[in-house]
Amino acid sequence: MPPKKKTKKITKKNPQKTGENDLEAKYRRSILDVAILQDHIALQCESVIKVQSDRIDLRRRLKDMEQKLQHERQDHRDVNSDLSRQYKTMQTELTNKAKRMEKEVSQLKEDLVLCQEELRKEKREREQVQQEKDAIIADLQHKLNNMETDYEKILHETLDSLTSQLSVAQQGWEDKSTTLHQNYKELLSDFGLDALHI
């Protein structure tokens, strides 16, 4: 801003001197305006330089951010690609595993059917063997009972026969004994002996 002018008392002076003073004041005012404009231009230059520096810094930061964003996008693409590859690999493995398990389940079902059939066959055979065994045991028990009856009958018949033979033999021995006793008695009597005293 131009400096304030000092107010002076106006005195009547020479018109020529007054014109010179006005010219000098205008010159001084012009010099002051130029200095102010130079200061203003210097400030504007500093502002422009600062703006340019800020713009360069912003461009550098923007470039860094763009490079960082590009790296992050590339990393993101790499991660997505890796995840996609892993997903496809896992999906393939799971599909193959599911197929293998389905095949195993089918085989196990067939094995189960065969085992159940074998079990039913074994059960039938065991029941048949048990029935044959029970029939043999029953037949043997019947034969044993018949043999016991036959042996009992033979034993009774043998005992009856022995008893009859013993009875006959006893009767024969008694008759023989009586005869012998009578003979001995007579012999003793011939010798003068009494059989009752001997």
Side-chain angles (χ1 to χ4, degrees):
M1 290 178 60
K4 293 181 179 179
K5 297 179 181 178
K6 293 182 179 180
T7 55
K8 295 180 180 181
K9 291 182 180 180
I10 299 173
T11 56
K12 288 185 180 179
K13 293 181 180 180
N14 190 355
Q16 184 180 356
K17 199 169 182 179
T18 302
E20 289 178 359
N21 287 336
D22 288 341
L23 185 62
E24 186 178 350
K26 285 181 181 180
Y27 177 73
R28 288 179 181 171
R29 196 178 313 133
S30 297
I31 291 175
L32 185 60
D33 289 339
V34 167
I36 290 170
L37 286 173
Q38 286 177 345
D39 290 341
H40 183 68
I41 290 171
L43 287 174
Q44 289 292 327
C45 286
E46 288 179 2
S47 297
V48 168
I49 291 170
K50 188 174 184 308
V51 167
Q52 287 178 345
S53 176
D54 290 343
R55 184 169 58 185
I56 292 170
D57 186 55
L58 285 174
R59 283 180 178 175
R60 181 183 56 77
R61 289 173 62 189
L62 179 61
K63 187 176 180 181
D64 291 342
M65 292 293 289
E66 286 177 349
Q67 288 179 352
K68 186 177 180 181
L69 180 61
Q70 186 67 25
H71 289 316
E72 288 181 355
R73 285 177 178 172
Q74 185 62 40
D75 291 342
H76 183 68
R77 283 194 294 269
D78 293 340
V79 168
N80 281 341
S81 176
D82 187 56
L83 288 175
S84 177
R85 181 184 57 78
Q86 290 181 5
Y87 173 75
K88 288 179 180 178
T89 303
M90 288 176 63
Q91 190 176 27
T92 303
E93 290 177 354
L94 287 174
T95 303
N96 293 335
K97 188 175 181 180
K99 288 180 180 178
R100 285 196 306 273
M101 291 184 73
E102 287 176 358
K103 189 174 180 181
E104 288 178 5
V105 168
S106 177
Q107 185 64 42
L108 287 173
K109 284 181 178 179
E110 291 178 3
D111 293 343
L112 179 62
V113 170
L114 291 175
C115 287
Q116 288 176 342
E117 182 62 30
E118 189 68 26
L119 181 63
R120 283 192 292 269
K121 182 179 178 183
E122 185 70 25
K123 188 175 179 182
R124 286 193 301 269
E125 290 178 355
R126 190 168 57 244
E127 289 175 353
Q128 184 177 358
V129 168
Q130 186 65 37
Q131 289 175 358
E132 291 175 356
K133 183 177 167 184
D134 291 342
I136 292 170
I137 290 172
D139 185 54
L140 290 174
Q141 186 67 40
H142 180 68
K143 288 181 179 179
L144 183 62
N145 292 336
N146 290 336
M147 287 174 66
E148 286 179 358
T149 304
D150 292 340
Y151 284 141
E152 187 177 352
K153 184 178 178 182
I154 291 170
L155 184 60
H156 284 302
E157 290 176 353
T158 303
L159 287 175
D160 290 343
S161 176
L162 286 173
T163 303
S164 177
Q165 290 176 8
L166 286 173
S167 179
V168 170
Q170 183 181 5
Q171 186 64 38
W173 291 336
E174 286 177 357
D175 292 342
K176 203 173 192 182
S177 173
T178 302
T179 304
L180 285 173
H181 186 64
Q182 187 63 35
N183 290 337
Y184 285 132
K185 211 171 159 185
E186 290 176 355
L187 284 171
L188 288 173
S189 181
D190 288 344
F191 289 108
L193 296 172
D194 189 3
L196 294 173
H197 291 88
I198 295 174

